[in-house]
Amino acid sequence: MTALPHDSVRAAWTALRTATPMLHLDTAACGRTSIATRAAITAHLELEAELGGYVAEAQADAETTTARRLLGELLHFATDEVALLDSGSAAGAQLLAAWPCEPGDRVWIAPSEWGNNIAAFADRGLEISVMDVDDHDHVDFEALQRRLRTERPNMVHLNAFNSHRALAQPSREIIEICAAADVPVVIDTAQALGHIEVPAGAAAVYGTGRKYMCGPRGVGYVAVREPWQQQLTPRAPAVNLGGQAVRNLESREAYVAGRVGLATALRQHVEIGPAQIRERLGAIGRALREGLADLPGWSLVDPVDAPGSIVALLPHEDIDLYQLRADLVARKVVTTVSAKERAPLDIVRPMLRLSPHVDFELSWIPQIRDLLTARHR
């Protein structure tokens, strides 16, 4: 097993955080916030207590603008094409509510689509159609091109990176194919931002800052490119704030302290180096899958060389994964169970998800193996 690249990235990332007794393998749920991020949140809360929430919000305008600018740069959007919301789910819901579509319009998805998104499409009255995929579960380019010759959906929706396993759709190529047919591509980037490269060219993207970006909970984002911004029709509970159409998706009642904290987390991410972070995360995922490939009682869901740091494990026996997760937490290891509702068209049986960040060390793999094989001895 080769050494992990960019030890300087690990050192810089770790130096920004307090020490923890836990082995965090749950970044795909929540990354660990830095000391400075928490300090920025606390400082703004103090300001709200002294000046009042709305006066403090006005004074934080430069920081929230910084958050929009840095998100835009990482996602390939302009600052005034980015809005801040309460979560990735809230961002997706507000975007879908304002999107130029009517009940009965079609949205094309991959079989691995996030379950909450499928429910949101149905609630909006959209007709869901599943795209063909190849042997690697990626959208089939030739099948997509053939279908676009005779059909035109309202949008193609993608998860840039899946929540439950190491599956990244080829977003760049799909955007290019759909652009030739004048079909917008909308991307859920919740698991992709700070994890894998997000390509330019999507009509809109949305997500949350609490995962690989390690921002606070309670802050999400949506970015919409022109000319799609002018086709948005913001609906309640959005409040018209004036200015760019996408900003009208922002709620007037906001977790401003969290937005200030996200600005700090974004700055730190950029200062360490997004490309180096992505490269190290990819190497960690490969090393962890390689180290667990022959784990007794378990099978890898994805190939060893799959992208990103998410590792999905399927137990051979019918065991209670929720109890296993609780047992692991008691042993100071944090993981997640991916049940069918996460991706109802893709998940057949619940699986265990590991998702480390750049602080992961190869020396931790034997400990993980021991914990997961204990029940098979």
Side-chain angles (χ1 to χ4, degrees), residues 166-179:
L167 176 60
Q169 288 297 337
S171 303
R172 186 185 311 280
E173 292 82 357
I174 295 170
I175 289 170
E176 292 174 355
I177 291 170
C178 290

Side-chain angles (χ1 to χ4, degrees), residues 33-94:
T33 54
S34 69
I35 297 169
T37 295
R38 299 194 301 276
I41 293 169
T42 301
H44 184 81
L45 292 175
E46 292 287 349
L47 202 61
E48 286 185 349
E50 293 173 8
L51 304 179
Y54 294 109
V55 176
E57 180 179 5
Q59 293 200 8
D61 184 65
E63 281 297 278
T64 53
T65 298
T66 294
R68 295 186 191 94
R69 176 179 60 81
L70 293 175
L71 282 167
E73 291 174 359
L74 291 167
L75 296 164
H76 308 289
F77 285 79
T79 302
D80 60 7
E81 293 176 329
V82 180
L84 299 173
L85 290 99
D86 304 330
S87 67
S89 295
Q94 287 288 60

Side-chain angles (χ1 to χ4, degrees), residues 100-159:
C101 59
E102 299 296 335
D105 284 350
R106 291 168 297 163
V107 54
W108 293 0
I109 63 171
S112 53
E113 180 67 63
W114 170 240
N116 285 2
N117 292 340
I118 294 175
F121 298 143
D123 289 344
R124 186 71 164 89
L126 298 179
E127 180 183 322
I128 300 166
S129 182
V130 180
M131 294 180 284
D132 291 335
V133 294
D134 60 21
D135 293 340
H136 303 288
D137 293 326
H138 297 143
V139 171
D140 187 295
F141 297 156
E142 292 185 0
L144 177 60
Q145 288 172 320
R146 285 196 305 269
R147 191 172 179 185
L148 285 170
R149 293 189 191 113
T150 58
E151 300 180 57
R152 190 185 189 283
N154 178 274
M155 73 169 77
V156 166
H157 186 277
L158 300 174
N159 295 124

Side-chain angles (χ1 to χ4, degrees), residues 350-371:
M351 56 188 74
L352 189 70
R353 184 189 72 188
L354 316 179
S355 53
H357 212 301
V358 295
D359 58 331
F360 187 82
E361 297 185 29
L362 296 179
S363 60
W364 295 344
I365 293 178
Q367 175 190 353
I368 297 169
R369 287 182 61 92
D370 287 345
L371 288 171

Side-chain angles (χ1 to χ4, degrees), residues 14-357:
T14 303
L16 296 173
R17 287 158 175 81
T18 52
T20 172
M22 308 297 289
L23 174 52
H24 278 268
L25 302 175
D26 206 16
T27 306
C30 284
R32 291 213 301 131
T33 54
S34 69
I35 297 169
T37 295
R38 299 194 301 276
I41 293 169
T42 301
H44 184 81
L45 292 175
E46 292 287 349
L47 202 61
E48 286 185 349
E50 293 173 8
L51 304 179
Y54 294 109
V55 176
E57 180 179 5
Q59 293 200 8
D61 184 65
E63 281 297 278
T64 53
T65 298
T66 294
R68 295 186 191 94
R69 176 179 60 81
L70 293 175
L71 282 167
E73 291 174 359
L74 291 167
L75 296 164
H76 308 289
F77 285 79
T79 302
D80 60 7
E81 293 176 329
V82 180
L84 299 173
L85 290 99
D86 304 330
S87 67
S89 295
Q94 287 288 60
L95 175 64
L96 194 58
W99 191 256
C101 59
E102 299 296 335
D105 284 350
R106 291 168 297 163
V107 54
W108 293 0
I109 63 171
S112 53
E113 180 67 63
W114 170 240
N116 285 2
N117 292 340
I118 294 175
F121 298 143
D123 289 344
R124 186 71 164 89
L126 298 179
E127 180 183 322
I128 300 166
S129 182
V130 180
M131 294 180 284
D132 291 335
V133 294
D134 60 21
D135 293 340
H136 303 288
D137 293 326
H138 297 143
V139 171
D140 187 295
F141 297 156
E142 292 185 0
L144 177 60
Q145 288 172 320
R146 285 196 305 269
R147 191 172 179 185
L148 285 170
R149 293 189 191 113
T150 58
E151 300 180 57
R152 190 185 189 283
N154 178 274
M155 73 169 77
V156 166
H157 186 277
L158 300 174
N159 295 124
F161 201 100
N162 277 97
S163 167
H164 60 292
R165 63 187 183 102
L167 176 60
Q169 288 297 337
S171 303
R172 186 185 311 280
E173 292 82 357
I174 295 170
I175 289 170
E176 292 174 355
I177 291 170
C178 290
D182 196 28
V183 170
V185 175
V186 176
I187 304 181
D188 179 342
T189 60
Q191 294 292 351
L193 180 64
H195 188 191
I196 63 169
E197 186 175 3
V198 178
V205 303
Y206 63 94
T208 180
R210 65 179 158 83
K211 299 180 185 290
Y212 285 87
M213 200 53 60
C214 300
R217 297 186 70 180
V219 186
Y221 59 85
V222 60
V224 184
R225 199 177 310 283
E226 294 288 3
W228 293 99
Q229 273 206 48
Q230 300 311 315
Q231 299 186 47
L232 298 176
T233 305
R235 294 177 167 89
V239 175
N240 192 313
L241 301 178
Q244 291 292 319
V246 70
R247 289 289 306 280
N248 295 332
L249 301 182
E250 293 188 349
S251 171
R252 190 74 181 96
E253 183 59 36
Y255 178 33
V256 178
R259 296 177 178 183
V260 171
L262 179 60
T264 298
L266 288 164
R267 271 196 300 268
Q268 292 180 330
H269 179 86
V270 170
E271 288 168 0
I272 292 175
Q276 291 80 6
I277 289 172
R278 293 193 299 265
E279 185 178 351
R280 183 174 175 89
L281 287 171
I284 286 170
R286 290 189 295 274
L288 186 52
R289 288 184 215 101
E290 181 182 352
L292 301 179
D294 62 346
L295 188 64
W298 298 85
S299 295
L300 287 175
V301 176
D302 302 293
V304 168
D305 61 353
S309 78
I310 289 179
V311 177
L313 294 168
L314 194 65
H316 295 169
E317 300 175 2
D318 185 17
I319 62 176
D320 185 343
L321 288 182
Y322 291 100
Q323 183 59 54
L324 173 60
R325 180 189 181 277
D327 293 343
L328 290 173
V329 170
R331 293 173 176 266
K332 302 189 184 306
V333 178
V334 188
T335 63
T336 280
V337 177
S338 294
K340 187 174 179 63
E341 62 268 15
R342 282 183 178 269
L345 304 180
D346 189 59
I347 296 177
V348 177
R349 293 172 50 210
M351 56 188 74
L352 189 70
R353 184 189 72 188
L354 316 179
S355 53
H357 212 301

